[in-house]
Amino acid sequence: MAGRGRGAEEGEGTTAGVSERLMFAHAVPAEEAPVSLPAPRPPAELLPPGGGTLPPASPTANVGRIRRQLGRVSLPALRRSVAVAATTELDRGVGFLLVPVFLAAGVICYFSLSAEPDLYRPLPAVALMAVCAAVSRSRHRTHLAFMAAFFCALGFLAAKVETWRMATPMLGSEIQTRLTGRLVTAEAMANGRVRLTIDLISTERPKLRYAPDRIRLSARRIPSGMTAGSILTGYAKLLPPTGPVRPDSYDFSFDSYFAGIGASGFFLGDPKLVASTQTVPTEVPFGARVASAIENAREGIADHIRSSIGGSEGEIAAALIVGVRAGIPDEINESMRRTGIYHIISISGLHMALVAGTIMVLLRGAFALFPDFSSRRPVKKYAAGIALISIAAYLIISGIVVAAERSFIMLAVMLAAVLFDRAALTMRNLAISAIAVILVSPHEVVGPSFQMSFAATAALVGAYAGFADYRAGKTTAPPAKRSFLGFLSRKLVVGVGGAAVTSLIAGSATLLFAIWHFQRVSPLSLLANLAVMPIVSLIVMPFAVLSALAMPFGFDGPLLYVMGKGLTAMIAISAWISERSPVDAVGLISIQSVLLATVALVVATMATTWLRLAAVPFALAALLAIPHVRTPDVLISEDAHLVAMPIGGGELAVNRERSNEFTTDNWKRALKAEDIVPPERFAKDTLDIADPVDLPPGSPFYCTGDLCIGRHPSGAIVALAETRDAARPACGFADLIVINDATAYNPCRDPRVLVVTKRQLARDGSAAVFFDPQSATARPTVRYAVVEPYRPWHEQRKYTREARGLAPYKQPENQPPHRPNRLSSGRRRRAVLLNSGE
C-alpha cells in the first residue's frame, strides 16, 4: 500500500506525524488558486484563536465530518463520496497492490476448471486484454477494468504454462521392480526409517516403459557412504501418487505433480551403493552437481547440530537452521500444532527478519568500534548489503519453500531500498513478493502455505499501518519521567501487549484458511505464542545465527548449547499447554465463507480511506456462510479398504480394526469425531443378518466372513463386501453397498440401492455419501474427489489395474521370490502418505 505510516516523532508537547502517505499529496483534490503573497501581519495575528498551536495534518481528520454526513446521506452524495475515495485510493497506489490479487484470481480460476484447457486459449485472451487496456487509456474506468481482466488472464496463463512446463511423468499402476537412480535427498524420519528422493536412471525385472523421472521411497537404513549425488540400486515397490483422502481434502497427486515426484513407495530390503559422489560419472548435469553439493552441506550441518544438541531439541534446531524437519517426533509436532506455534518450525518471515536483524545489529555494533571509519563511510548500507547476502544464503541452505521465498523477497526489497536511499514501502514489498511467487510457482496459490503466510503478513502490515496513521494526527504529551523500574515495567507491558495483538491479528486472519485446510483450530494459541515467542526471539534464533557464524571456526558448541536449552523450554511449554488444550477439531466449513473472508481481508488491508468499511459486510457474510456445508454421512477411501460412518456421541465407526492413522485423523477432524469404534467380528455364519433393519440406529459395523453391516443414525444401512457374491444378499436391505473388488459390477436390481465398487473409486477417488434426511427410501447421493475428464495430475488414474477392472497382479511362478514387505497395510499406507510429502 503506497503510503503506509512510518511512525511519529516526539516534540515539545506535541507529536508530529510522519507518514509515507504524505508523499501522495496530489491524492487530495484541491481547487487551484491564484498565486499571491500574503499581506504582512503582526506575529500575534498568525496564531489561531485562543493562542493555541496549529493542529497537525491527519489522514483521519475528516472522520467526524463523514460521520455527520452519513446521517443525511443520499444516493448521489454516496456516489460522489465513493468516487472521491476511490480516486484517492488509486492515487495512493492501491492499483499496484491489487495486481497480485487479480493474478491469484486467474490462477484459482485455472485450477478450478473441470477440464484442462488448451495452451492456445489463454494466449489470445492475454493479448486481447493488453490491447484493449492500451486503447482505452483515455477512459479511466474502462482502462482499469481491462487491466484487471489482463492480470486475471495473465495469472491463468502462468498457471497453464507451469502445468505444461512440469509435465511430470506419473506412475500408472502399483509394481515391484529393481531400480537404479541418483540420490537427491536423504531424510532421517522420527520412526527410524530414511526417506529418499531419487532421480530414476533405469529399471529392470520388469523394465518400465513409462517410468517416472523422480520418485520418493523409504528404506529401513542406507549405507554409511551414501550421500546426495550417489548412485544406488535396490528392489522396491512403487505406488502411483494417491488422491485426496476425501473430497475437498489435500490432493497428494497435485502436490507430487508440481514437485516432480512421479511415484512413491518403499524398498523391499536395503538399497545398495553403486557409486559414491566422488566416483559418479562426469556427465551428470552441472545443476544436479550443485544441488547435490548444497544438499550434502545441509545434511552435514544438520548432523553436526544433532550431535551437538541431541534429542528432539537437536531435530528442531536442524529444522530452524537448515530446514530438515523429517526427524521431529510426531508427538512434538502434534503438540505444537494443537498450541498454534508450529509456524516456528516453518522457516518464514520471523526467521528471515531475525537473521537479517541479528546480522545488522552485529555489524552496526562492530562498525561503531571504529568511529573514524564509520563516520566517513555509509556503514548502514554495508550492513544492509551483508544482511542481504546472509538471508540469501539462509534461503538456499534452508530449502526454498513458499513462506521463505515470500519473506526473502520482502526483506530483499527493503534492504535494497536502504542501499539506494529509497523509502521501503511495506505493503508494496508484500505485493512485489506475491507477484514474484505467483508468476514463478502459480500452484502455490491454492496451497495452505501461500494463503496463510500472505494473509497473516497482509493483516499485520495493514493493522499496524492503520494504527500508525491514527497516531500520526494525535496530539500527545511527552511521557512523564519514570524510575528505571517503571521504565522497564512499561516496556514489558508494551512488549507483551504488542505480542498479544500480533498473535491475535495473525491468528484471526488465518483462522478460516486453517479450518478449511486442516479442520482444526488452536484455542490456546494466544497463550502459547505469548509464552514461547520471547524465548524464540531472544534466545533460540539469535543464538542460531551466532552458532551458524561461529560454526566454520569450531566455536559453536556453547552457542548451540544455549539454543538447545531455549528449545527445551519451548517444548516443555508447548507440551504443558497442549495437554490442557480442548479438542481442536471443528469440522468442515464452506468454500464460500473462505472466499468472502479473503475479499474482506483484501479490502481491509489495502484500503486507506473510509472504503475499508466495505470489508465489514464481506466479513459478516463469511461468518454467516461458515455452517452452509453438509457433513458427509459416510466416507470411503479410494482403495475401498476403509469406510467410516459417524454414529453419534462423537464416535466414528470404521470397518477395520487396524485403520490407516493419517486417513482416520483427517476424517475425525472433518466429521468432528473424538473416538474410533472398531468393528465387531463374528465367525462366519454366526451373525444372523436375516433382518438387519432390527439393528438400532447408530450401530457400529458387525462383520462376518466377507460382509460387514452397520446402521447410520438416520436409519440407513451400510454394507461392505469383499466380493460381488458376498454383496448380493445385502441388496434386499442395504441403502449403500461398497464392494472391495475391481472386477465386480452392480449385483442389485433395485435402483434405490447405491453400489460403489473398487473400480469406480480407483477412477474417481475417495467418496463422500449423503443420505436423504427427508426420505428413508430415497437413493443416497455420492460425491467423488476426482472428476473426469482428468487434469494432468490425475491422468495416471486411468491406467491402474483397478481402474481397468482387472484383478490384482499375481507374481509369476517362474519368477524368483523377493523379500516380503514387513509393514502392515496400515503402516504401509502411512509410509506412502509420508513419502508423498505430508
Side-chain angles (χ1 to χ4, degrees):
M1 186 185 313
R4 284 298 187 189
R6 293 171 110 189
E9 297 176 356
E10 291 184 358
E12 190 68 33
T14 62
T15 300
V18 180
S19 174
E20 289 174 349
R21 290 177 180 168
L22 299 180
M23 293 190 299
F24 302 92
H26 61 281
V28 181
E31 297 181 359
E32 294 185 0
V35 179
S36 60
L37 294 175
R41 292 193 234 174
E45 296 181 10
L46 297 177
L47 295 175
T53 58
L54 288 172
S58 169
T60 60
N62 296 326
V63 173
R65 178 175 56 82
I66 293 175
R67 289 176 177 174
R68 290 191 299 271
Q69 289 179 349
L70 288 177
R72 54 180 184 274
V73 67
S74 62
L75 186 58
L78 180 61
R79 288 178 178 175
R80 288 193 298 270
S81 181
V82 171
V84 172
T87 303
T88 304
E89 296 285 2
L90 292 173
D91 289 339
R92 290 176 176 175
V94 75
F96 179 77
L97 303 183
L98 290 175
V99 169
V101 176
F102 290 116
L103 287 173
V107 172
I108 293 174
C109 179
Y110 167 79
F111 287 116
S112 300
L113 295 178
S114 58
E116 185 66 18
D118 296 322
L119 183 60
Y120 67 85
R121 295 183 184 275
L123 284 172
V126 172
L128 178 61
M129 292 300 104
V131 171
C132 292
V135 171
S136 62
R137 291 182 64 88
S138 59
R139 298 185 177 184
H140 191 56
R141 295 181 180 178
T142 306
H143 173 70
L144 292 177
F146 279 125
M147 286 298 296
F150 166 75
F151 286 114
C152 286
L154 186 61
F156 189 100
L157 177 62
K160 173 59 185 178
V161 170
E162 185 191 27
T163 303
W164 168 77
R165 177 175 54 86
M166 292 300 299
T168 302
M170 310 282 274
L171 185 68
S173 186
E174 176 182 320
I175 196 169
Q176 297 180 11
T177 182
R178 177 169 294 279
L179 58 88
T180 302
R182 183 182 303 108
L183 181 62
V184 179
T185 62
E187 301 173 278
M189 296 189 293
N191 59 3
R193 297 180 68 87
V194 184
R195 184 167 61 192
L196 309 176
T197 302
I198 302 170
D199 283 338
L200 202 58
I201 297 176
S202 63
T203 58
E204 57 181 346
R205 292 192 302 171
K207 180 178 178 60
L208 305 183
R209 291 183 297 172
Y210 303 101
D213 296 332
R214 178 170 289 186
I215 59 177
R216 185 171 287 160
L217 306 175
S218 67
R220 286 190 294 272
R221 55 185 175 270
I222 59 175
S224 58
M226 186 178 294
T227 58
S230 301
I231 306 299
L232 58 87
T233 185
Y235 202 77
K237 185 170 187 177
L238 301 181
L239 302 149
T242 57
V245 297
R246 58 173 177 79
D248 297 328
S249 181
Y250 180 83
D251 192 345
F252 294 98
S253 293
F254 182 86
D255 179 76
S256 297
Y257 181 87
F258 287 100
I261 306 296
S264 60
F266 44 87
F267 279 102
L268 300 173
D270 298 332
K272 303 295 188 298
L273 181 64
V274 175
S276 63
T277 307
Q278 292 76 15
T279 59
V280 169
T282 56
E283 60 266 15
V284 176
F286 175 76
R289 294 201 300 271
V290 172
S292 298
I294 294 175
E295 182 60 30
N296 287 328
R298 292 181 65 201
E299 286 297 326
I301 296 173
D303 291 339
H304 174 73
I305 295 170
R306 294 189 189 103
S307 61
S308 299
I309 299 178
S312 303
E313 293 84 354
E315 297 292 345
I316 298 178
L320 292 175
I321 295 178
V322 295
V324 180
R325 295 186 292 176
I328 301 176
D330 290 340
E331 59 272 13
I332 294 180
N333 282 329
E334 181 61 22
S335 66
M336 297 183 74
R337 289 190 180 101
R338 287 178 64 89
T339 53
I341 62 172
Y342 194 77
H343 61 89
I344 295 173
I345 302 298
S346 175
I347 295 176
S348 58
L350 170 68
H351 308 78
M352 287 284 180
L354 290 174
V355 169
T358 303
I359 295 294
M360 290 195 69
V361 168
L362 291 175
L363 290 176
R364 296 293 298 274
F367 288 139
L369 299 177
F370 305 94
D372 290 341
F373 177 81
S374 59
S375 61
R376 297 195 308 268
R377 299 289 183 179
V379 294
K380 183 179 180 181
K381 293 184 180 181
Y382 294 165
I386 297 175
L388 178 59
I389 296 174
S390 300
I391 62 173
Y394 185 45
L395 175 69
I396 295 173
I397 202 69
S398 63
I400 301 175
V401 295
V402 61
E405 286 178 352
R406 184 262 305 163
S407 306
F408 170 77
I409 295 172
M410 283 191 64
L411 287 172
V413 173
M414 295 176 64
L415 294 173
V418 174
L419 294 176
F420 293 97
D421 297 318
R422 300 293 298 273
L425 306 180
T426 308
M427 205 66 177
R428 292 178 68 87
N429 293 348
L430 182 65
I432 292 172
S433 62
I435 292 172
V437 173
I438 292 173
L439 293 180
V440 173
S441 303
H443 75 279
E444 297 284 2
V445 173
V446 296
S449 179
F450 179 94
Q451 296 171 9
M452 297 180 69
S453 65
F454 276 96
T457 307
L460 290 172
V461 171
Y464 282 104
F467 179 70
D469 291 337
Y470 172 75
R471 291 192 60 189
K474 297 285 289 185
T475 302
T476 58
K481 293 183 178 180
R482 296 182 177 89
S483 63
F484 180 72
L485 183 60
F487 174 79
L488 288 181
S489 301
R490 182 175 182 273
K491 290 297 183 182
L492 179 61
V493 172
V494 171
V496 173
V501 172
T502 299
S503 179
L504 188 62
I505 293 173
S508 301
T510 59
L511 180 62
L512 290 186
F513 297 102
I515 297 176
W516 168 257
H517 288 287
F518 308 113
Q519 297 80 51
R520 67 190 307 173
V521 296
S522 302
L524 301 181
S525 62
L526 179 60
L527 174 62
N529 278 278
L530 288 178
V532 168
M533 289 312 299
I535 299 174
V536 175
S537 302
L538 300 178
I539 299 178
V540 174
M541 286 308 300
F543 279 89
V545 176
L546 294 174
S547 64
L549 295 176
M551 198 172 294
F553 309 100
F555 303 139
D556 57 310
L559 302 173
L560 288 176
Y561 175 81
V562 176
M563 180 185 180
K565 293 303 179 182
L567 291 173
T568 301
M570 185 189 75
I571 293 172
I573 293 173
S574 174
W576 187 86
I577 298 178
S578 176
E579 292 174 356
R580 290 154 180 81
S581 180
V583 177
D584 57 354
V586 293
L588 302 175
I589 62 172
S590 65
I591 185 61
Q592 292 81 6
S593 64
V594 180
L595 295 177
L596 290 170
T598 303
V599 175
L601 182 65
V602 169
V603 174
T605 56
M606 295 187 178
T608 61
T609 65
W610 66 269
L611 287 181
R612 63 164 61 100
L613 296 176
V616 175
F618 287 103
L620 294 177
L623 295 176
L624 294 175
I626 286 178
H628 290 178
V629 60
R630 187 177 177 187
T631 303
D633 296 312
V634 177
L635 288 173
I636 310 171
S637 65
E638 66 175 9
D639 58 2
H641 286 168
L642 188 62
V643 178
M645 177 179 64
I647 56 177
E651 295 182 331
L652 188 67
V654 296
N655 65 312
R656 293 186 180 273
E657 296 178 358
R658 302 180 63 181
S659 57
N660 175 256
E661 183 180 353
F662 177 84
T663 303
T664 52
D665 285 345
N666 184 287
W667 289 358
K668 283 171 61 178
R669 294 195 303 270
L671 301 176
K672 293 190 291 185
E674 300 179 18
D675 300 314
I676 296 294
V677 180
E680 296 186 20
R681 295 200 171 272
F682 299 87
K684 190 174 182 180
D685 299 329
T686 59
L687 176 65
D688 184 13
I689 59 171
D691 195 7
V693 294
D694 292 336
L695 289 175
S699 298
F701 289 108
Y702 298 96
C703 301
T704 175
D706 293 336
L707 182 65
C708 296
I709 58 172
R711 194 167 192 182
H712 189 264
S714 65
I717 296 177
V718 180
L720 317 172
E722 294 295 325
T723 63
R724 181 175 182 270
D725 293 336
R728 187 177 290 109
C731 293
F733 55 81
D735 300 276
L736 167 66
I737 301 177
V738 181
I739 306 177
N740 186 20
D741 185 0
T743 63
Y745 54 91
N746 190 346
C748 305
R749 298 181 179 180
D750 190 348
R752 295 173 298 179
V753 179
L754 174 63
V755 177
V756 178
T757 65
K758 189 168 188 174
R759 181 181 184 183
Q760 185 72 38
L761 294 168
R763 295 186 63 88
D764 297 336
S766 57
V769 180
F770 305 87
F771 298 124
D772 190 347
Q774 306 298 329
S775 175
T777 60
R779 189 175 190 267
T781 58
V782 60
R783 185 161 67 92
Y784 295 97
V786 181
V787 179
E788 298 186 59
Y790 294 126
R791 305 298 296 272
W793 46 91
H794 288 145
E795 284 286 343
Q796 76 280 357
R797 303 190 70 91
K798 66 177 68 171
Y799 302 111
T800 63
R801 295 184 61 87
E802 292 82 3
R804 291 179 290 165
L806 301 178
Y809 178 79
K810 293 184 178 180
Q811 187 90 359
E813 295 182 0
N814 58 353
Q815 186 170 338
H818 295 276
R819 183 183 301 176
N821 177 37
R822 297 181 180 178
L823 295 178
S824 65
S825 60
R827 292 176 60 197
R828 181 166 61 249
R829 172 67 172 167
R830 173 67 171 170
V832 172
L833 294 175
L834 286 173
N835 291 333
S836 300
E838 176 63 20

